[in-house]
Amino acid sequence: MSSMATMPDETAVFGEPKYWQLRTSLLKAIDEDFNSGDILPNERDLAARFGVARATLRHALEQLELEGRLVRKRGAGTTVAGPRVDVSLGADGEGWPGVDLRDREVIDCATVPVTDEFADTLKGRPSALVHRLRRRQFSMRQVVGLECLYVSRAVVPSLSTRVPNFERASLMLRQLRGHRLEGRHRAVELAVAEAEEARYLERPPGTAVLVVTTTYTALGRTAAVTVATYRADTCRLAFAEAGPTALRPAS
Amino acid sequence: MSSMATMPDETAVFGEPKYWQLRTSLLKAIDEDFNSGDILPNERDLAARFGVARATLRHALEQLELEGRLVRKRGAGTTVAGPRVDVSLGADGEGWPGVDLRDREVIDCATVPVTDEFADTLKGRPSALVHRLRRRQFSMRQVVGLECLYVSRAVVPSLSTRVPNFERASLMLRQLRGHRLEGRHRAVELAVAEAEEARYLERPPGTAVLVVTTTYTALGRTAAVTVATYRADTCRLAFAEAGPTALRPAS
DNA sequence: CAGTGGTCTAGACCACCAA
DNA sequence: TGGTGGTCTAGACCACTGA
């Protein structure tokens, strides 16, 4: 965990930018000579060792951080990341969003005006109200994601006030599960965390995140929508498609 | 599409880095004053207009490109991106990987030694052989992804040689579908495109991609694995979960 | 060929963390 | 308080595109 060769790297391809060759060298080094949690030399030393400007070295480190191979912390240092965490999306999710509260922390649960982006999918009527439950999701004591559930008042008329957030959330989810789920649709895309979102994920703004948007249908309409945001560097989204019985014969 | 205000931006938050405020300003501008395909002023002009160094402006543009809001082309210019393309993962995929060849182009189909990463999942025995089919996926005449399917020789003993790639692929897929699919597992994660991958996707190395790994079970074993790579900037992965019948009652 | 984005440098200062 | 990563600058040169 100390050597870290500096040779021009026999595998270097001319015509490829320096920062990319550098990334490749570093990747090889952390695979071979380092373990999860090991601390890398600081950026100024590394840059000097490879004979490049600090900015060039940083470009390489940024790539590796995006790939989830490094963790950089301001003021502290750069360490080798552990393997990605599997976030299961389908185990309890064969139906309505999880009431299952393990590894979940309620941030708040309230009735709010719909955001523009959901005005059409959720209710149509602008300036209407919806219930919003925000939760933080953990895995191995680590924050991995932020989940925001919007529920139409057509399926859950009103929220009990005067009870703590946590109970209000439980009651809402119970009412939701009272309905028969008629359909579900999911989409995954890449985004970057805005300021507030980033704070909840304990990351700087601009961090790459995987956004999972799930639409739930009940009573012949869109009953709820969840927007779940996961740290792209540390998470792998696992869609466990239950057992054999869930699969249909090829058409 | 011409103005692009330069004011310090009344919404600017002190304490936030310049490049982030800049990103916010630019995002607002492209939402309000630009349409898909519009060309932005060049980087040197933009930097001057906002009174920052070119590197700082570029930092902001990089964020917006990662978010899929801008398309930058070396030598050409920077344009405003269109909406993301929905890539359906589940329509034909309720079972084996698609034989459906619309919007798919066969790159090659051959029997090759297993890669280390699949040695355990696919066959266990090192230096064993598997069949590999590589295809490029299009949507709206645009390259959106690269699909690599590995098939164990336990389910498809041998490939017909002496026929074109395309036919060889068809025959292999037909044999695959002959088996009863017993289970499937999917995972999605973020990665960056390596050199070769990047070429197929018509992007520079280091481009962010969404990797979908699907494992197929048949004959009581892992029969096949596909690794599909999609451009993270232009794609949204849609998991259409068929109709109501596919859903089970809440347990 | 002129103009664009892409790479790289050398240096400065700042914000943060841990000892 | 010293060392870390984060931000920003000003300038240079290169690789590519399109007229």
Side-chain angles (χ1 to χ4, degrees):
Chain A
M1 90 157 213
S2 55
S3 66
M4 174 147 311
T6 310
M7 335 206 137
D9 192 340
E10 55 296 353
T11 68
V13 180
F14 287 111
E16 271 190 345
K18 258 189 208 172
Y19 78 87
W20 188 255
Q21 299 175 22
L22 207 45
R23 166 202 169 264
T24 307
S25 304
L26 289 168
L27 190 53
K28 211 177 109 191
I30 67 183
D31 275 337
E32 296 178 355
D33 309 335
F34 290 80
N35 297 311
S36 304
D38 283 356
I39 303 174
L40 254 59
N42 74 56
E43 299 185 348
R44 290 163 179 86
D45 283 355
L46 273 181
R49 225 187 284 196
F50 284 97
V52 299
R54 194 178 152 215
T56 305
L57 175 85
R58 279 182 58 81
H59 198 162
L61 295 183
E62 276 154 22
Q63 290 281 342
L64 291 168
E65 187 177 37
L66 185 66
E67 297 176 57
R69 303 302 306 263
L70 293 179
V71 180
R72 299 150 90 200
K73 263 182 80 176
R74 184 197 202 103
T78 301
T79 58
V80 176
R84 286 213 169 108
V85 171
D86 266 314
V87 176
S88 172
L89 272 69
D92 67 334
E94 269 305 336
W96 291 105
V99 273
D100 165 10
L101 299 177
R102 292 167 305 150
D103 293 332
R104 280 197 173 111
E105 170 198 79
V106 173
I107 297 172
D108 55 23
C109 181
T111 304
V112 300
V114 283
T115 327
D116 291 347
E117 47 181 330
F118 299 122
D120 45 346
T121 35
L122 211 52
K123 182 52 198 172
R125 208 177 310 138
S127 83
L129 297 176
V130 292
H131 309 306
R132 186 190 67 184
L133 164 60
R134 293 195 296 177
R135 297 190 286 189
R136 211 142 59 132
Q137 197 167 334
F138 293 80
S139 181
M140 324 270 201
R141 307 244 168 220
Q142 282 279 324
V143 189
V144 290
L146 187 62
E147 187 189 271
C148 193
L149 166 65
Y150 297 91
V151 179
S152 161
R153 286 198 300 171
V155 290
V156 176
S158 75
L159 253 47
S160 26
T161 54
R162 301 202 163 281
V163 296
N165 268 315
F166 179 88
E167 272 190 61
R168 186 156 56 243
S170 294
L171 289 167
M172 183 178 78
L173 289 170
R174 207 184 311 281
Q175 286 182 67
L176 202 52
R177 286 175 90 89
H179 293 94
R180 204 181 77 80
L181 180 59
E182 291 161 5
R184 197 175 57 177
H185 180 270
R186 270 206 175 118
V188 179
E189 62 190 315
L190 181 68
V192 304
E194 304 274 342
E196 190 187 7
E197 216 165 35
R199 267 198 310 279
Y200 282 120
L201 295 177
E202 297 171 357
R203 294 260 70 199
T207 304
V209 291
L210 295 171
V211 178
V212 183
T213 309
T214 313
T215 307
Y216 301 90
T217 311
L219 303 178
R221 67 202 305 298
T222 297
V225 177
T226 87
V227 180
T229 302
Y230 300 98
R231 288 180 51 166
D233 56 346
T234 56
C235 294
R236 171 171 38 240
L237 308 180
F239 295 81
E241 301 189 8
T245 56
L247 294 166
R248 304 147 143 208
S251 54
Chain B
M1 84 167 215
S2 57
S3 65
M4 175 150 305
T6 310
M7 335 207 138
D9 192 342
E10 55 296 351
T11 69
V13 179
F14 288 111
E16 270 189 349
K18 259 190 207 171
Y19 77 88
W20 188 255
Q21 299 175 22
L22 207 46
R23 167 205 168 263
T24 307
S25 303
L26 289 168
L27 190 54
K28 210 177 111 192
I30 68 183
D31 274 338
E32 296 177 354
D33 308 336
F34 290 81
N35 297 310
S36 304
D38 285 355
I39 303 174
L40 253 59
N42 74 57
E43 298 183 349
R44 289 163 180 86
D45 283 356
L46 273 181
R49 224 187 286 196
F50 284 98
V52 298
R54 195 180 151 213
T56 305
L57 174 85
R58 281 181 57 80
H59 198 162
L61 295 184
E62 276 153 23
Q63 290 280 344
L64 292 168
E65 187 177 37
L66 184 66
E67 296 176 57
R69 303 302 305 262
L70 293 180
V71 179
R72 297 150 92 201
K73 260 182 81 177
R74 182 196 203 107
T78 301
T79 59
V80 175
R84 284 213 169 107
V85 172
D86 266 313
V87 177
S88 173
L89 272 69
D92 66 335
E94 269 305 337
W96 291 106
V99 274
D100 166 11
L101 299 178
R102 290 167 306 148
D103 293 332
R104 280 197 173 113
E105 170 198 76
V106 173
I107 296 172
D108 56 23
C109 181
T111 306
V112 300
V114 282
T115 326
D116 291 347
E117 47 181 330
F118 299 122
D120 47 344
T121 36
L122 213 50
K123 181 54 196 167
R125 208 177 311 140
S127 83
L129 297 174
V130 293
H131 309 306
R132 185 190 67 182
L133 164 60
R134 293 195 295 177
R135 297 188 287 188
R136 212 141 59 129
Q137 197 167 334
F138 293 80
S139 182
M140 322 272 200
R141 308 246 167 219
Q142 282 279 324
V143 190
V144 290
L146 187 62
E147 187 189 271
C148 193
L149 166 65
Y150 296 92
V151 179
S152 161
R153 286 197 301 170
V155 290
V156 176
S158 75
L159 253 47
S160 26
T161 54
R162 299 202 164 279
V163 296
N165 266 316
F166 179 87
E167 271 189 61
R168 186 155 57 243
S170 293
L171 288 168
M172 184 178 79
L173 288 170
R174 208 184 310 281
Q175 286 182 67
L176 202 54
R177 286 174 91 89
H179 293 94
R180 204 181 77 79
L181 181 59
E182 290 162 4
R184 197 176 58 178
H185 180 270
R186 271 206 174 118
V188 178
E189 62 190 314
L190 181 67
V192 304
E194 305 274 341
E196 189 187 6
E197 216 164 38
R199 267 198 310 280
Y200 282 120
L201 295 176
E202 297 172 356
R203 294 261 71 200
T207 305
V209 291
L210 295 171
V211 178
V212 184
T213 307
T214 314
T215 307
Y216 301 90
T217 311
L219 302 177
R221 67 201 305 299
T222 298
V225 177
T226 86
V227 180
T229 302
Y230 300 98
R231 288 181 49 166
D233 55 345
T234 57
C235 294
R236 172 171 36 238
L237 307 181
F239 294 81
E241 300 187 10
T245 57
L247 294 166
R248 304 148 141 207
S251 54

